[in-house]
């Protein structure tokens, strides 16, 4: 009788005991950079001043959509650039950078060179960038730290917002074969750092 009563009390008490949860383990992405670019979510943008006058109306700060990077992935495929190669970093311009330019770029004989200029040799996180970096193109992008921001050529890496009411540009996206940084501009293989004294006739 005493045993039966004890067992009943234990069962009743355990019913109110907190449930133990096993800690979540980190999982690998199991996707290459090329695969990731086709599905990754870019920075969001808001309705802005057009929101209240829209039908139906929206708050200015309400999210309107996301500026993804699948267009860059499409152009890389069209150019035959392998984004599954080992140990690379891709500087991926968001879709809005290519508005009205896709057809012209696909017809441009320099498309492969342009895309390859966005592919850096080696894995480079934002915190590790501190010097010029070689690209698959054969040229190097120019590093500069100014305005408390990291620049490669004239492109900000780790841009805080999209200047239209929205979120930061995702960076340090870890993929199976490297790293992705989303940016707001298309990088130009012909870029040359302007020398203020020589390039502007001595005007600083």
């Amino acid at each position: 009788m005493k045993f039966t009563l004890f067992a009943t009390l234990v069962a009743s008490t355990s019913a109110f005991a907190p449930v133990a949860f096993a800690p979540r383990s980190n999982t690998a992405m199991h996707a290459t950079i090329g695969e990731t670019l086709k599905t990754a979510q870019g920075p969001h943008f808001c309705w802005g001043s057009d929101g209240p006058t829209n039908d139906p109306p929206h708050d200015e700060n309400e999210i309107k959509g996301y500026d993804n990077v699948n267009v860059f992935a499409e152009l890389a495929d069209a150019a035959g650039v392998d984004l599954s190669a080992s140990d690379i970093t891709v500087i991926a311009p968001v879709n809005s950078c290519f508005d009205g330019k896709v057809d012209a770029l696909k017809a441009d004989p320099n498309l492969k060179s342009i895309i390859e200029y966005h592919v850096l040799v080696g894995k480079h996180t934002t915190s590790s960038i501190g010097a010029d970096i070689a690209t698959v193109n054969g040229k190097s992008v120019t590093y500069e730290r100014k305005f408390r921001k990291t620049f490669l050529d004239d492109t900000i890496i780790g841009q805080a917002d999209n200047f239209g009411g929205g979120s930061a540009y995702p960076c340090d996206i870890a993929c199976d074969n490297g790293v992705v940084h989303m940016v707001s501009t298309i990088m130009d293989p012909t870029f040359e750092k302007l020398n203020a004294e020589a390039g502007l006739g001595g005007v600083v």
Side-chain angles (χ1 to χ4, degrees):
M1 178 68 180
K2 290 182 178 180
F3 177 78
T4 303
L5 179 60
F6 175 76
T8 302
L9 289 172
V10 170
S12 300
T13 304
S14 64
F16 295 97
V19 178
F21 290 94
R24 293 182 179 179
S25 59
N26 293 327
T27 56
M29 290 196 66
H30 299 305
T32 65
I33 289 175
E35 294 166 338
T36 299
L37 293 179
K38 294 175 182 177
T39 59
Q41 183 172 284
H44 75 249
F45 53 92
C46 299
W47 279 92
S49 58
D50 292 335
T53 60
N54 192 74
D55 185 18
H58 298 273
D59 290 337
E60 291 185 3
N61 293 327
E62 185 178 341
I63 295 175
K64 183 178 182 180
Y66 295 87
D67 209 356
N68 301 329
V69 288
N70 55 290
V71 172
F72 179 80
E74 176 188 338
L75 290 170
D77 286 343
V81 177
D82 182 13
L83 298 183
S84 64
S86 299
D87 296 331
I88 57 175
T89 298
V90 169
I91 309 301
V94 293
N95 289 351
S96 59
C97 296
F98 300 102
D99 287 350
K101 303 175 183 176
V102 174
D103 290 341
L105 281 168
K106 285 184 175 180
D108 190 334
N110 295 315
L111 175 60
K112 185 173 184 179
S113 176
I114 294 170
I115 298 298
E116 287 183 335
Y117 192 66
H118 292 76
V119 183
L120 312 183
V121 177
K123 296 181 181 180
H124 304 277
T125 61
T126 51
S127 61
S128 70
I129 297 174
D132 296 356
I133 304 174
T135 73
V136 175
N137 169 289
K139 298 181 179 180
S140 293
V141 289
T142 302
Y143 164 79
E144 190 170 10
R145 180 73 183 175
K146 58 184 179 182
F147 314 124
R148 297 183 181 180
K149 295 177 175 62
T150 296
F151 286 78
L152 290 179
D153 292 353
D154 57 358
T155 297
I156 300 173
I157 307 299
Q159 187 168 311
D161 60 58
N162 58 19
F163 304 115
S167 58
Y169 283 70
C171 55
D172 294 327
I173 303 171
C175 304
D176 286 349
N177 62 315
V179 183
V180 172
H181 306 302
M182 296 188 191
V183 296
S184 63
T185 55
I186 301 172
M187 300 179 74
D188 183 357
T190 65
F191 174 85
E192 291 185 11
K193 184 177 178 180
L194 179 65
N195 184 310
E197 294 182 359
L200 293 179
V203 179
V204 179

